[in-house]
């Protein structure tokens, strides 16, 4: 079974803090993704990576950056958290087109 | 703008009935199609994928694809209360495995 894990299920941060969200997959998948999910807006792609040290912007990259130093780990960084970044953050990995999601991190920025 | 459209629902069906969930997509270059189930507060779980026109069956689930009409559907036979969830449709173009997701249809299976 594919296993994608995320570092935290719930996180509360203050405005202006730097926030790190970690994602690890154990299936040697090439591709990894970060999404945010908000009511009524669905899943929106923030960044994705198709190889170590490679990254590409998704649909809503503003205010975020990513890091992929090892194949199994993909990190999402909020450089200076803002209240409009309060959301559910979902990591996914894929080998072919089938994406498998981690459990999600519900981030609240106060 | 590539779009995947779904009726938000809720779609309410009685236990034991067939639930029919529909999805349309705008990008004719889409090659792969996926259905995910998402329970409240949980992450999406892949339940079906389909690449070719026609039907694909897996247990109580049948995915249907009509590329000419740009239409994908998911049928759930013998619906159970445990099927109550939001169902997300997604389309891929084969480029770095990127998918475009619909906003989901909420299904309620009533006793």
């Amino acid at each position: 079974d594919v296993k994608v894990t995320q570092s935290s299920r719930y996180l509360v941060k203050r405005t202006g803090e730097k926030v790190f969200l970690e994602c690890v997959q154990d299936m040697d998948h090439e591709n990894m993704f970060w999404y945010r999910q908000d009511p009524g807006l669905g899943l929106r792609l923030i960044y994705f990576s198709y190889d170590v040290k490679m990254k590409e912007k998704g649909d809503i990259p503003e205010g975020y950056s990513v890091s992929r130093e090892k194949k199994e780990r993909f990190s999402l960084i909020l450089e200076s958290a803002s209240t409009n970044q309060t959301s559910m953050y979902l990591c996914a990995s894929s080998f072919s087109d089938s994406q498998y999601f981690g459990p999600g991190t519900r981030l609240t920025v106060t | 703008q590539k779009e995947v459209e779904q009726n938000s629902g809720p779609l309410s069906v009685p236990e034991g009935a067939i639930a029919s969930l529909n999805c349309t997509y705008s990008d004719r270059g889409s090659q792969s199609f996926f259905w995910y189930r998402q329970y409240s507060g949980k992450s999406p779980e892949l339940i079906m994928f389909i690449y070719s026109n026609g039907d694909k069956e897996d247990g109580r689930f049948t995915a249907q694809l009509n590329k000419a009409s740009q239409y994908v559907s998911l049928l759930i036979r013998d619906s159970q209360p445990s099927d109550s969830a939001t169902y997300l449709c997604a389309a891929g173009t084969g480029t770095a495995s990127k998918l475009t997701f619909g906003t989901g249809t909420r299904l309620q299976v009533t006793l």
Side-chain angles (χ1 to χ4, degrees), chain A residues 6-7 11-23 34-36 38 46-47 60-67 74-90 105-110:
Chain A
Q6 295 183 231
S7 50
L11 210 52
V12 179
K13 295 292 182 181
R14 293 193 180 274
T15 301
E17 280 192 82
K18 191 168 186 176
V19 181
F20 293 86
L21 302 181
E22 301 281 326
C23 175
W34 275 106
Y35 295 89
R36 62 179 285 177
D38 301 286
I46 304 171
Y47 268 97
I60 52 163
E62 298 78 18
Y64 304 94
S65 62
V66 290
S67 172
F74 192 34
S75 302
L76 179 70
I77 303 152
L78 286 66
E79 297 289 344
S80 178
S82 63
T83 55
N84 64 11
Q85 292 178 310
T86 290
S87 186
M88 169 70 90
Y89 289 87
L90 290 160
T105 296
R106 185 163 293 282
L107 173 67
T108 302
V109 182
T110 61

Side-chain angles (χ1 to χ4, degrees), chain A residues 31-55:
Chain A
N31 306 308
M32 297 187 74
F33 307 81
W34 275 106
Y35 295 89
R36 62 179 285 177
Q37 187 174 34
D38 301 286
L41 297 178
L43 280 163
R44 292 182 291 167
L45 181 64
I46 304 171
Y47 268 97
F48 68 101
S49 167
Y50 52 89
D51 202 352
V52 175
K53 297 192 186 294
M54 305 300 288
K55 60 185 179 185

Side-chain angles (χ1 to χ4, degrees), chain B residues 40-104:
Chain B
S40 180
K42 302 293 186 182
S43 60
E45 172 193 9
L46 179 64
I47 53 173
M48 289 283 293
F49 60 86
I50 186 167
Y51 293 91
S52 304
N53 274 331
D55 295 0
K56 179 181 178 183
E57 188 173 318
D58 183 1
R60 295 187 296 113
F61 299 98
T62 299
Q64 299 176 317
L65 174 60
N66 183 326
K67 288 187 178 180
S69 300
Q70 295 177 248
Y71 182 89
V72 192
S73 64
L74 179 70
L75 302 178
I76 306 175
R77 288 182 299 282
D78 189 25
S79 295
Q80 301 296 310
S82 58
D83 295 326
S84 298
T86 296
Y87 289 79
L88 306 176
C89 174
T93 60
T95 303
S97 301
K98 282 180 64 178
L99 299 180
T100 300
F101 285 84
T103 53

